[in-house]
């Protein structure tokens, strides 16, 4: 019994000293003393959503953005192994630096399954709690949304993964075999249907960080796009847009202005809500992206200069594209002096700073910058791609992509493009619109274009990058395979 308690504590991220194992535990959600009241239900859904701050705090950014063609890390604490595709199934470099759970695929695996486990308890236990019926329905629906998001995060990172739909009350129930891609998406769809049915529509009174019905419809559209389910992706994206509940911010710069986050929720449909005064709600992306030695007060109180955009990516923007202002080749230091590009970082004279996540009023390493999970601009581009995949470069498809381009200060996309050229243009638009949002690598892998795109994304820091076919998906962390005899390693990583 003690072994089972330890396992369940580990799954939920809880710890307890050995001397307490035989006592009645009132703080664990895995006891019969919990899930009895409305406050228990609220605590349970908060625990299920808690993995978001861990995932987007950095592991998902490292997995996506360090591997793609927009930005690269300074070669410290094993980060360069993702950029150079030199990692192994044990993730030795990250492990040796003590960053194996916070800056890489191991964190994606651990925090996603922790969130799934907590969501499963909510789904199983909350329906029986005597409380306000509407709020109870919303909590369970949010748990379904979270479970879908975590499973989708896992499958786009690792391909076939165990689908977990029951809470683990013993060790045997925690060990699950892989599911096929078809079955994974079937479960994700089912969970999203439950979420859409139970969540409230968006209003300004919706509590920060809670997803709305329309936000999950938008996420559902994107997930269907990844599943190459073009009709469903198109239908759901159009429904989200036509609902009128959300709108693009007039200025793309305001979407990432930390002082305008409340207003930006009209576009940031679902975001990870950071809180600079609560340790468990910090996001560290800002500190990684800001100038070295905490020298840029416009960025953060504490920053390390560890994440930069490729010069070629910066150059790919039209000078009139307002989104290029979310990158910079100079910055103002603490004395008010403008630091030129050659002095941004000692690793290259062509450092380009990422300006999407800045909080001048941050407290030490803690910041208030929210991280988007799904934005309306993303949904517009999903709608454009899904329409084109089905029907070619129609006027409808052009209308969606041109809405995003207009907000960026650009003219309409070149008319008369063929289907393939139009889709390529939409993918490029996604790159410009969604850079540094843990998105690009997954666009390259879902379209299987990473083998041709990545070798061209080089600079003097990373002059050669040679991914192989096996790098389309990350290897399942070796310790997970060792712990679960039902797991098998991904092809090429055996």
């Amino acid at each position: 019994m003690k072994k089972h308690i330890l396992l369940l504590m580990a799954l939920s991220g809880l710890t307890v000293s050995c001397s307490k194992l035989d006592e009645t535990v009132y703080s664990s959600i895995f006891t019969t003393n919990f899930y009895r009241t409305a406050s228990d239900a609220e605590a349970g859904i908060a625990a299920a959503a808690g993995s978001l701050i861990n995932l987007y705090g950095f592991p998902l950014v490292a997995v996506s953005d360090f591997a793609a063609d927009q930005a690269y890390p300074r070669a410290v604490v094993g980060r360069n192994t993702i950029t150079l595709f030199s990692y192994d199934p044990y993730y030795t470099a990250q492990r040796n630096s003590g960053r194996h759970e916070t800056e890489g695929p191991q964190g994606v695996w651990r925090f996603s399954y922790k969130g799934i486990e907590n969501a499963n308890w909510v789904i199983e236990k909350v329906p029986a709690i005597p409380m306000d019926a509407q709020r109870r329905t919303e909590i369970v629906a949010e748990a379904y949304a979270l479970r879908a998001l975590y499973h989708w995060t896992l499958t786009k990172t690792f391909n076939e993964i165990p689908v977990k739909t029951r809470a683990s009350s013993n060790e045997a129930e925690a060990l699950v075999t892989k599911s096929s891609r078809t079955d994974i998406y079937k479960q994700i769809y089912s969970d999203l249907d439950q979420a859409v049915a139970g969540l409230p529509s968006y209003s300004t009174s919706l509590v920060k960080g809670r997803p709305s019905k329309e936000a999950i419809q938008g996420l559902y559209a994107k997930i269907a796009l990844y599943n190459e389910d073009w009709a469903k992706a198109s239908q759901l994206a159009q429904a989200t847009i036509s609902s009128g509940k959300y709108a693009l911010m007039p200025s793309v710069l305001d979407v990432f202005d930390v002082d305008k986050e409340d207003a930006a929720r009209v576009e940031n449909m679902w975001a990870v809500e950071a809180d600079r005064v609560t340790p468990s709600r910090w996001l560290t992306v800002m500190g990684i992206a800001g100038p070295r030695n905490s020298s840029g007060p416009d960025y953060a109180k504490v920053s390390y200069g560890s994440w930069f955009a490729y010069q070629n990516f910066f150059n790919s923007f039209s000078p009139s594209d307002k989104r290029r202002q979310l990158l910079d080749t100079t910055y103002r230091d603490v004395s008010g002096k403008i630091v030129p590009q050659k002095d941004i970082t000692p690793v290259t004279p062509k450092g380009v700073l990422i300006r999407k996540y800045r909080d001048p009023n941050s407290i030490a390493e803690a910041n208030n910058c929210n991280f988007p999970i799904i934005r309306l601009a993303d949904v517009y581009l999903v709608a454009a791609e899904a329409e084109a995949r089905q029907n070619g470069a129609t006027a409808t498809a052009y209308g969606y992509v041109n809405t995003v381009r207009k907000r960026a200060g650009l003219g309409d996309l070149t008319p008369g493009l063929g289907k393939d050229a139009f889709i390529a243009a939409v993918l490029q638009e996604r790159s410009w619109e969604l850079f540094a949002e843990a998105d690009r690598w997954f666009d390259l892998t879902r379209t299987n274009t990473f083998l041709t795109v990545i070798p061209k994304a080089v600079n003097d820091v990373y002059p050669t990058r040679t991914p192989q076919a096996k790098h389309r998906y990350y290897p399942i962390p070796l310790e997970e395979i060792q712990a679960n005899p039902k797991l098998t390693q991904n092809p090429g990583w055996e």
Side-chain angles (χ1 to χ4, degrees):
M1 182 62 187
K2 290 183 180 180
K3 185 178 182 182
H4 293 164
I5 293 173
L6 284 171
L7 172 71
L8 297 173
M9 293 292 189
L11 285 170
S12 66
L14 299 173
T15 58
V16 63
S17 68
C18 291
S19 63
K20 298 292 184 181
L21 287 176
D22 294 318
E23 295 181 8
T24 300
V25 180
Y26 293 94
S27 60
S28 170
I29 65 171
F30 302 108
T31 71
T32 56
N33 298 304
F34 202 79
Y35 283 118
R36 292 184 171 184
T37 67
S39 61
D40 292 345
E42 296 290 354
I45 194 61
S51 283
L52 295 176
I53 204 81
N54 300 121
L55 267 178
Y56 290 87
F58 211 61
L60 199 55
V61 171
V63 162
S64 178
D65 292 307
F66 287 0
D69 61 335
Q70 301 166 331
Y72 60 94
R74 188 160 53 93
V76 293
V77 296
R79 293 169 184 156
N80 59 332
T81 64
I82 293 178
T83 306
L84 294 174
F85 305 97
S86 60
Y87 48 84
D88 58 79
Y90 193 60
Y91 300 102
T92 303
Q94 286 88 347
R95 185 174 298 280
N96 288 346
S97 65
R99 305 292 183 96
H100 59 289
E101 290 185 342
T102 58
E103 295 195 8
Q106 309 97 307
V108 174
W109 184 279
R110 178 196 172 190
F111 295 125
S112 293
Y113 277 113
K114 175 184 173 183
I116 289 168
E117 183 69 19
N118 287 332
N120 283 338
W121 283 101
V122 171
I123 290 166
E124 291 181 17
K125 296 294 186 180
V126 168
I129 295 177
M131 60 180 291
D132 178 78
Q134 180 60 38
R135 181 61 190 140
R136 182 174 58 208
T137 296
E138 292 171 2
I139 287 173
V140 175
E142 184 176 344
Y144 277 115
L146 288 164
R147 190 169 76 179
L149 175 62
Y150 294 138
H151 276 125
W152 180 57
T153 299
L154 286 161
T155 194
K156 68 181 180 177
T157 305
F158 299 102
N159 197 19
E160 293 184 347
I161 48 95
V163 170
K164 193 83 168 50
T165 58
R166 293 186 61 188
S168 300
S169 46
N170 59 61
E171 185 175 2
E173 291 177 355
L175 305 179
V176 181
T177 190
K178 284 183 177 181
S179 294
S180 68
R181 177 185 170 91
T182 298
D183 287 343
I184 294 166
Y185 275 93
K186 182 179 179 180
Q187 184 60 54
I188 292 171
Y189 278 21
S190 175
D191 284 355
L192 291 171
D193 286 336
Q194 295 275 8
V196 169
L199 288 170
S201 285
Y202 173 74
S203 71
T204 55
S205 63
L206 188 67
V207 174
K208 299 175 184 179
R210 289 181 185 168
S212 68
K213 169 185 175 179
E214 293 80 18
I216 298 307
Q217 281 183 322
L219 179 68
Y220 200 165
K222 186 171 182 176
I223 288 172
L225 188 79
Y226 272 62
N227 196 32
E228 300 184 357
D229 190 349
W230 315 128
K232 183 175 283 288
S234 181
Q235 181 263 318
L236 288 165
Q238 291 182 39
T240 304
I241 294 166
S242 63
S243 72
K245 295 292 184 178
Y246 293 92
L248 297 183
M249 293 283 285
S251 169
V252 69
L253 304 182
D254 289 345
V255 178
F256 298 95
D257 186 333
V258 71
D259 293 324
K260 297 180 180 179
E261 284 181 344
D262 286 340
R265 286 185 181 84
V266 73
E267 175 172 342
N268 268 341
M269 303 165 68
W270 192 17
V272 182
E273 296 281 339
D275 179 354
R276 67 171 74 99
V277 299
T278 307
S280 62
R281 303 299 303 171
W282 294 350
L283 280 175
T284 58
V285 172
M286 167 209 68
I288 300 297
R292 62 181 176 134
N293 300 329
S294 308
S295 59
D298 296 332
Y299 283 78
K301 290 288 192 299
V302 175
S303 61
Y304 302 100
S306 294
W307 187 27
F308 304 98
Y310 287 102
Q311 182 71 48
N312 285 342
F313 178 63
F314 178 80
N315 294 344
S316 72
F317 286 84
S318 165
S320 61
D321 192 330
K322 296 175 183 177
R323 294 170 298 195
R324 195 173 78 162
Q325 296 176 48
L326 294 168
L327 299 166
D328 211 345
T329 54
T330 64
Y331 72 93
R332 181 179 64 88
D333 69 12
V334 292
S335 69
K337 177 184 175 182
I338 299 300
V339 177
Q341 184 178 21
K342 67 181 181 64
D343 295 328
I344 285 177
T345 172
V347 303
T348 175
K350 295 184 178 180
V352 179
L353 289 164
I354 297 166
R355 302 181 75 240
K356 276 192 171 179
Y357 309 106
R358 296 176 299 143
D359 183 4
N361 297 313
S362 58
I363 300 172
E365 297 181 60
N367 71 90
N368 228 39
C369 301
N370 292 346
F371 198 101
I373 297 173
I374 187 73
R375 289 202 280 128
L376 186 63
D378 193 350
V379 178
Y380 269 106
L381 296 174
V382 167
E385 183 179 344
E387 168 68 15
R389 297 277 188 185
Q390 292 184 100
N391 304 313
T394 63
T396 298
Y398 267 98
Y400 289 131
V401 70
N402 284 337
T403 297
V404 176
R405 288 176 60 86
K406 181 179 180 180
R407 197 267 296 272
L410 300 177
D412 288 349
L413 187 62
T414 304
L417 293 176
K419 178 179 179 178
D420 290 346
F422 179 87
I423 291 171
V426 172
L427 290 169
Q428 178 61 69
E429 205 67 45
R430 290 184 61 81
S431 180
W432 288 327
E433 180 69 30
L434 303 171
F435 76 86
E437 295 183 41
D439 188 81
R440 177 61 172 173
W441 174 248
F442 300 118
D443 266 352
L444 296 176
T445 53
R446 73 177 173 87
T447 58
N448 207 22
T449 53
F450 70 101
L451 289 173
T452 55
V453 170
I454 295 302
K456 300 173 185 176
V458 294
N459 62 3
D460 54 339
V461 183
Y462 297 102
T464 304
R465 301 177 66 207
T466 54
Q468 303 171 41
K470 70 177 184 179
H471 292 113
R472 182 174 184 179
Y473 298 105
Y474 284 91
I476 293 173
L478 187 58
E479 65 268 28
E480 300 296 336
I481 292 176
Q482 292 170 339
N484 183 357
K486 294 183 179 181
L487 272 181
T488 55
Q489 186 55 276
N490 285 335
W493 295 104
E494 299 92 341

